[in-house]
Amino acid sequence: MWFKKALPQKSAKVYLRGKQLLISGVVMVTINLVGCDKSSLEGEATPQNLAIWPEVAAPLAGQEDVEREVASLLATLTLEQKVAQMIQPEIRDFSVEDMRKYGFGSFLNGGGSFPNQDKQATPADWLELADAMYRASVDDSIDGTRIPTMWGTDAVHGHTNVKGATIFPHNIGLGAAHNSELVQRIAEATAKEVAATGIDWVFAPTVAVARDDRWGRAYESYSEDPDLVAEYADAFVRGMQGEPNSASFLAKGRTLATLKHFIGDGGTRGGDDQGDNDLDEQSLYQIHGRGYERGIAAAAQFVMASFNSWQGEKLHGHHYLLQRVLKDRMGFDGVVVGDWNGHGQVAGCRNDDCPAAINAGVDILMAPGQSWKPLFHNTVAQVKAGVIDPKRIDDAVTRILRVKLRAGLIKRGLPSAQISQEQQQILGAEAHRSLAREAVRQSLVLLKNNQQLLPLQPNQHFLVAGPAADNIGQQSGGWTLTWQGTGNQNADFPGATSIYQGLKEQVVAAGGTIELSATGSFQQQPDVAIVVFGEQPYAEGNGDLSNLEFERGSKRSLQLLTQLQRQGIKTVAVFISGRPLWVNPEINQADAFVAAWLPGSEGAGIADVLLTDAAGAIQYDFKGRLPFSWPNRLDQAPLNAPYLKEQPLFPLGFGLSYKMPGESLGILSEQRPTAADRPKSLSLFNRSVQAPYRIQLQNREVTQVLSSSSLAINGLQVRTVDRRVQEDALRLQWESNVGATLEIASPFTEDLRDFARNDAVVALDIRLLQVGEGPLWLRREGFDLRSLLNLQQSSWQRVAIPLKCIFLAEQLAAISVPFALTTQGAWQVEVSDIAITHSNEVSDCEGNLDFE
C-alpha cells in the first residue's frame, strides 16, 4: 500500500523505491512502495463485479475533429501546464495574478463566496471577475499558455450565490412535484441566469438517493425512489446543457452540468454526512447508480466524486469505482472533479498532497484555501518522480480539453462578449419567477385537511404566525447566498416574496384582512390562523440529526399551535423543512397540515393553493406527493419503500387534494422512546454555528454578525478554515489593546436549565497559533483559558470549562450568549467543536460554586 510520512519542514526530498530526487523549494513527503501488486495499488483488494454496471452509449463519442484538436493542444503543453489544468482554486484564496502566473484550468466560488468578498456584489461584478480571470488565463506572458479557464459554481436551486437571482424550490420539493418536464425547464432557466454572470459550469444536479432522513443533505435529494432520481437526472442535464448533438447543446445561455456525488452519498450508515456506505455492489448500482446512468446518457460532461466511502474506502481514492466502473464500463468520457478538498480525506493524503486521488481517476482536484500552491508543486514533483504516471496526467488533461472544446470555451473569447444586454438583465426575470412560483405550487403536499378546512376563502380575517411566515431566508434553506443559508435578511432578496407577503397580497385584494405575528398574538380574533414554522437553514453535515424529532427542547412551534387551538381558532400548519420529520404533536394541534419543503424565493405560490379566488373558486389544487416516506416515530430511520420493516405514518407517494380529500386524520401517537430526560449535549459550533445561534464580533463601537465566511472589525478578524472537512473551524486574530469579542449568540434567550449540573462543561477544541499577552477569557473576565492550556503546544487541544464557573444557576433560564472569547492581547487561535456537555472530570473554580 501507499504510505506517507511527513518530513521536517526544511526538507525537500521525494523517495521512490529507494531512489532520491531533490525538489528545490518544495516541501514534500516520503513515499514508499512496499511489496504491492497492481490491484492493491488501485485499491482493489476484494473482487468486484463489473457486469453489475451498465454499458452506456456515449452520445458524443466519435467526434474526430474534437479529438484531433485535443491531441494537438495536449502536445504543446509542458508538465507544469498540464497539472495547472487539473488544479481548481477558490476565489477567496487566489487572485487574478495567480491565474496569470499558473494558468489554472478552472476555478470556483464556494457557497457564500463572492467577487471582492462582497455579499452585495451585482451581476456586473460577477461578470467583471469572469472577464478578468479569462484575460489572465489566456495571457501567455508568464505561464506560456492561452487555454481559457472555466468557472464552476454551486447553483443547486437557482443561481443562489448572486443577490437578486431566482431561487427555486430545493430538490426535495421538486421530487414532490413528480414532474420531470418542470425540472428540465428549471435547469434551463438556472443555466441562463448562471451564464449571464459569465460562469460556465454548475455543480448540479445532485442525484443522491437519500435513504436516511437524518442526513443533512436530504433536501438535495429528489427522492428515496431511484427511478424518480434517474428520470430527473436526465431532465436536468438536458435542460442545463441542451440536447446532445443538436444546435442547443452548450449554446449561448447553456452551462455545463455536473452529476454528483459519485457514489452512494445518500446511503451512509446512520445518515452520516461523508460517512461510509456499506451496501453490496448490486445494491450500490440499483439504488445509487441509476442517476449516473441516465445523466451520462444525456451527455453530462462532469461527475463529482463524493466525500463518502464505500465499504471503508474513500471515493476520491477509489480506482475501481472511478476508473473501471465510471470511465471504463459506463463509458463516461468527461471529467471527474473532486469535491471541496475531498482528496485530502483519502488515506495517506493531505489537502496539499494526494497522488492517490489522481491515480484513482480524479481529473480535477478542487483545492480551496491555501492548499492549491503546494498541491500544484507537489503534483508536478510526483509525476517527475514516477509516483503519478504521466499517462494518467495526459488522460486527465485530455478529458478537460475535450470538455472545453465541446463547450466552445477554447474559441469563445471574453465572457462578457457572449452576453447581450438583454441576457444581463435575466437574473430574477419575471418569467423565471413565474416558473419558480409554479414549482412551489406543484411541490406542496397536503397531509391533513380535517373537515376540509382548505381551501380558504380570502375575504376573512387571517392571522399569519410563526417564525418562518415572513422569512425568505428560512423558506429558502441552505445554499442560499451563504453556504449554510444563514445570516440573511429579507432585504437580501430583492424581488422575492415571503409566504406572508404572498398571502397578504391575495387577502387584501379580495377584501379580507390579515395580521402578522411571529408569536401568535393578535388585535382581532382571526377566523383562521396560518402558522408557518420549521427547520432553520443548514447545509451538508451541519444538518445531520441523531433522530427525526422536530424542535427538540424548546417546542416553541408546538406551543404556538396549542395556544391557538385552545382559543378555538381554526389552524393551518405550513411546515418548512428539508426532510420528513416526526411532527405528530404538531399535526395533532393543526386542523390542516401542509408539507411545503423549502420553497425558495416565490412564497406566493403557497397562497395560490391555500386560498380560493375572490369568488370562492379553487385556484390550484394540491398536486404534490411525498417523495419520501414520512415517519410515525422519531427513531424511525431509515425508512424506505419497499424495504419497510414497519409502516410509516404517510407512505411514499401520499398526498391529499381537494378532489380527493380522504378521511379525517385522528389523533396521532406522541409517545417517545424512553430515554434520559436531560440532553447529553448542546452543540454550539459543529462544522458551523448551530441554529438558533449565530457568530458575531463585538467591540466598543459595533456588533456585527458573521454572514459569510469572513468578517473583520477593529481589533478582531475571523474567518472559516478547514480542519477535518470544509470550513469546520474558525480562525481568530486579535489586535493588542482593543478588547474585541467573538460571541456565539442567539437572537432570543435560551433555557439552559437542563445543564444546571455540576458535571456540565463548556468544551471546545483550540489551537494556539500565537500566544498574546494577558488572559484569553471565556466570557469577559469569566474564565482565563490559560489555566487549562499548554501554551507551548501548537497542535489542537481539548479543554472543558465548568459551566458553573461562567454562569450562576439562576441565570441559566435565559442565556442569549453561551460562549464568548475575548482578550486585550494579540492572540491568534483556531477553535472548533464547541458544545455544552457533561464531563466526568470537571475542574474546580474559584469560590467552589455549586449548581446542585
Side-chain angles (χ1 to χ4, degrees), residues 775-784 805-806 820 822-824:
L776 178 62
W777 295 108
L778 178 65
R779 297 185 61 85
R780 188 176 300 277
E781 299 185 4
F783 190 94
D784 184 357
C805 300
I806 308 167
T822 188
T823 181
Q824 293 280 343

Side-chain angles (χ1 to χ4, degrees), residues 6-13 23 25-29 350 352 374:
L7 294 176
Q9 289 295 304
K10 64 181 180 180
S11 178
K13 300 178 181 178
I23 311 295
V26 179
V27 178
M28 296 297 298
V29 294
R350 302 191 310 260
D352 62 359

Side-chain angles (χ1 to χ4, degrees), residues 770-818:
Q770 176 178 302
V771 176
E773 295 182 359
L776 178 62
W777 295 108
L778 178 65
R779 297 185 61 85
R780 188 176 300 277
E781 299 185 4
F783 190 94
D784 184 357
L785 291 180
R786 292 179 303 175
S787 63
L788 297 179
L789 291 169
N790 180 346
L791 300 180
Q792 307 304 314
Q793 182 176 325
S794 61
S795 58
W796 285 93
Q797 305 178 51
R798 185 71 172 170
V799 295
I801 302 91
L803 199 63
K804 63 187 179 183
C805 300
I806 308 167
F807 300 109
L808 300 174
E810 56 267 26
Q811 293 176 313
L812 293 180
I815 297 293
S816 60
V817 182

